[in-house]
Amino acid sequence: MTRAHNPQLNAHGELRHLLTPEGLPRDVLLHILDTAQGFVSFGSREVKKVPLLRGKSVFNLFFENSTRTRTTFEIAAQRLSADVFNLDIQRSSTSKGESLLDTIANLEAMDADIFVVRHADSGAPFLIAQHTPPHVHVVNAGDGRHAHPTQGLLDMYTIRHFKGDFSNLTVAIVGDIVHSRVARSAIHALTTLGVPEVRAVGPKTLVPGDLRDMGVRVCHDMAEGLRDADVVMMLRLQNERMSGALLPSAHEFNMTYGLTAERLALAKPDAIVMHPGPINRGVEIDSAVADGPRSVILDQVRFGIAVRMAVLSIIASAEH
Amino acid sequence: MPSLSPTPPDAEALYARLLHLVRDMLSRHAEPPLLVGIYSGGAWLAQRLHADLQLPQPFGVVSSTFHRDDFATRGLHPSANRTALPVPIAERAVLLVDDVLHTGRTTRAAINELFDFGRPARVDLAVLVDRGGRELPFCPQLTAATLTLPDDVLLALVRDENAAEGIRFRFDLVRKSASQP
């Protein structure tokens, strides 16, 4: 995708919406990670707030449940001095039959500058971005099975923080890849940033062979998937998938693909373990691993605030 | 308005003068102020002043990035957030150091940044060059040189780390392009 045709970039190639890492140039991704670095050490400031978004209104529109993502977006926007409005959309307009674009038009009339959108339908943030005026920015906080770009970027930040760079890494993503917007965004970001080997590990029902088209190595065998990996990214096994024919049971998944200390021993000795949360202890990951020395799960949460601060401040300064 | 001088000011001569001024100022204080350089040119100056004066306390660096008033049009420079204050600044006297003082907007942003880390007892300002053109009420306490330059000319401090004599400074005169606000 060229810069001119990417709806996330303006005519100068600057990021004006963040909808998916797919098609974003490498230097745009690195710019976000570099900017986030400046926000990580915020804890050492007596005043944990900077005025970059002072006077801007950020609307958190979560059409789907979320605690961590919504809270970290809220913290990020507040640390940038924005006014933050959390709309409980599920309980308001939509349930009264208002269309998505009508909701957005109403919020624009309230002088919104940035929409942070989570929606069960893939593409909803794209639709909003297409219908907002040039001074309004949209950040996708997770849409359907499609993308979760700030999660993907905070995963990249975490990997770079612990591994230095991307050029010699083997990254294993384990679990329900086909339904995971987290996995999809991670895969696009990892390949753009030059990770030579990205593995998609899981049963055939959740890791179909056509994932190879995304540039990953498909492994149905857990041992093969984990061997000599530098980074192990576990995904949450979504309970709603269990009811279908995709998986026999959570227990069976744990027996075959759960990350135990013994299985982690197959990865490199300094491998890090990541998880986007919330974790299902004893299903996709054992407590001994989740709480162990190689787990960086809570670092991901901490870096997530800095990455979201970077994204909000970068899009807010893009020329209209 | 004066025409663009063909030769930029001699940064090394001005540095020697600033070193003298800072040494003289520090000698008049029982508890000398903490040197804090504004990233990036001022940080280079603070580092070299710190070494030449053999100060026992470390020097600090303050970045103006987060408090710039032109953020909305110029955006955020990712490498520019380099604030590093080695000791608490609350109730300390601070000598802020910068290479060129022009509109005063960078100084304003740097002082705001400083206050995010505590309330200093006082803040003084030392600059290599005061080129006039102030848009805010700042007046440096120590100035190595005062000169007038056209508004569209940028006076940029350059650091040569590989000079035979160690680190050396020079000034470049750069005419601003239309795209560089």
Side-chain angles (χ1 to χ4, degrees):
Chain A
M1 199 182 284
T2 65
R3 279 175 178 242
H5 295 106
N6 192 320
Q8 305 182 82
L9 304 176
N10 66 14
H12 308 284
E14 299 166 330
L15 192 73
R16 59 179 290 246
H17 304 296
L18 180 64
L19 306 173
T20 168
E22 184 178 3
L24 283 183
R26 184 185 154 89
D27 59 303
V28 170
L29 298 185
L30 289 173
H31 179 61
I32 296 170
L33 302 187
D34 292 344
T35 304
Q37 206 153 353
F39 291 121
V40 166
S41 57
F42 246 54
S44 64
R45 303 167 79 93
E46 191 173 299
V47 180
K48 293 175 187 60
K49 220 176 173 72
V50 291
L52 294 176
L53 294 191
R54 194 172 57 172
K56 303 277 185 199
S57 299
V58 175
F59 280 71
N60 276 335
L61 305 180
F62 280 66
F63 295 88
E64 200 185 70
N65 280 329
S66 161
T67 306
R68 187 178 341 240
T69 304
R70 207 207 65 201
T71 308
T72 50
F73 263 112
E74 188 176 345
I75 294 170
Q78 288 188 351
R79 288 194 177 163
L80 296 168
S81 305
D83 297 313
V84 185
F85 304 91
N86 291 310
L87 276 82
D88 197 350
I89 295 284
Q90 280 175 318
R91 279 194 224 148
S92 58
S93 327
T94 317
S95 58
K96 295 179 186 167
E98 187 176 61
S99 81
L100 176 61
L101 291 178
D102 281 335
T103 303
I104 295 301
N106 276 276
L107 297 174
E108 274 166 14
M110 300 176 201
D111 296 324
D113 296 291
I114 297 176
F115 290 118
V116 176
V117 183
R118 166 165 292 192
H119 203 288
D121 294 341
S122 302
F126 270 93
L127 184 72
I128 295 171
Q130 278 171 343
H131 289 86
T132 49
H135 69 276
V136 175
H137 309 279
V138 179
V139 181
N140 180 4
D143 62 330
R145 295 183 193 176
H146 172 246
H148 193 348
T150 56
Q151 178 71 44
L153 285 161
L154 78 86
D155 289 341
M156 298 309 111
Y157 189 94
T158 306
I159 292 172
R160 192 172 75 165
H161 177 85
F162 287 101
K163 295 294 165 192
D165 74 288
F166 299 99
S167 56
N168 286 307
L169 296 182
T170 297
V171 178
I173 308 175
V174 184
D176 181 1
I177 304 218
V178 73
H179 297 107
S180 171
R181 57 195 176 204
V182 172
R184 202 169 297 275
S185 285
I187 290 168
H188 285 304
L190 287 166
T191 47
T192 303
L193 291 169
V195 170
E197 180 152 331
V198 182
R199 299 175 188 163
V201 189
K204 279 180 185 159
T205 46
L206 302 179
V207 184
D210 57 13
L211 277 175
R212 290 188 187 94
D213 298 344
M214 291 182 77
V216 302
R217 180 175 149 197
V218 170
C219 302
H220 300 305
D221 178 63
M222 185 66 165
E224 180 198 344
L226 292 182
R227 193 161 287 123
D228 296 326
D230 298 282
V231 177
V232 181
M233 291 178 65
M234 299 306 295
L235 300 173
R236 184 173 74 91
L237 189 67
Q238 301 182 29
N239 294 328
E240 49 271 33
R241 313 286 172 222
M242 227 80 75
S243 56
L246 296 174
L247 270 183
S249 71
H251 176 70
E252 186 149 331
F253 183 86
N254 179 257
M255 295 299 286
T256 323
Y257 293 104
L259 190 62
T260 60
E262 297 75 49
R263 293 209 174 105
L264 181 58
L266 293 166
K268 287 206 182 128
D270 62 346
I272 55 169
V273 175
M274 297 167 61
H275 193 300
I279 62 175
N280 294 314
R281 291 173 183 268
V283 182
E284 72 269 0
I285 189 164
D286 278 9
S287 282
V289 176
D291 305 328
R294 285 144 80 181
S295 166
V296 297
I297 295 171
L298 294 178
D299 297 289
Q300 288 174 269
V301 178
R302 190 163 60 90
F303 295 150
I305 296 173
V307 166
R308 289 176 175 121
M309 288 174 79
V311 168
L312 292 173
S313 54
I314 287 169
I315 60 170
S317 67
E319 260 183 67
H320 309 150
Chain B
M1 187 170 282
S3 61
L4 181 57
S5 154
T7 50
D10 180 347
E12 277 301 313
L14 295 185
Y15 173 75
R17 172 147 179 74
L18 188 70
L19 176 64
H20 171 76
L21 292 171
V22 172
R23 180 180 279 129
D24 182 54
M25 181 199 190
L26 296 183
S27 70
R28 285 183 274 117
H29 286 80
E31 192 187 345
L34 185 70
L35 278 189
V36 176
I38 300 178
Y39 185 83
S40 55
W44 296 340
L45 282 170
Q47 183 184 21
R48 191 164 158 194
L49 287 167
H50 178 264
D52 287 346
L53 295 166
Q54 297 180 313
L55 298 176
Q57 60 196 359
F59 70 97
V61 175
V62 72
S63 156
S64 64
T65 316
F66 290 147
H67 290 275
R68 293 200 67 88
D69 56 15
D70 54 3
F71 160 71
T73 50
R74 282 181 57 178
L76 208 54
H77 196 274
S79 65
N81 174 39
R82 296 294 165 85
T83 298
L85 297 166
V87 292
I89 58 156
E91 305 311 321
R92 294 277 307 253
V94 169
L95 179 60
L96 205 54
V97 183
D98 206 0
D99 49 357
V100 180
L101 177 61
H102 187 202
T103 62
R105 289 175 191 272
T106 300
T107 316
R108 198 276 304 169
I111 290 174
N112 276 135
E113 173 80 357
L114 206 56
F115 275 67
D116 280 354
F117 290 82
R119 179 184 183 272
R122 63 174 287 138
V123 180
D124 289 308
L125 178 61
V127 299
L128 217 45
V129 170
D130 177 352
R131 58 171 288 186
R134 211 82 76 245
E135 293 166 2
L136 290 168
F138 284 111
C139 180
Q141 280 65 48
L142 305 177
T143 308
T146 303
L147 53 105
T148 310
L149 291 166
D151 284 345
D152 65 341
V153 169
L154 193 73
L155 183 61
L157 188 68
V158 180
R159 181 169 68 161
D160 181 0
E161 290 175 64
N162 301 316
E165 312 88 339
I167 293 174
R168 284 292 173 268
F169 293 136
R170 79 165 194 276
F171 270 120
D172 280 353
L173 292 172
V174 186
R175 200 172 284 280
K176 287 185 200 172
S177 64
S179 64
Q180 195 179 14

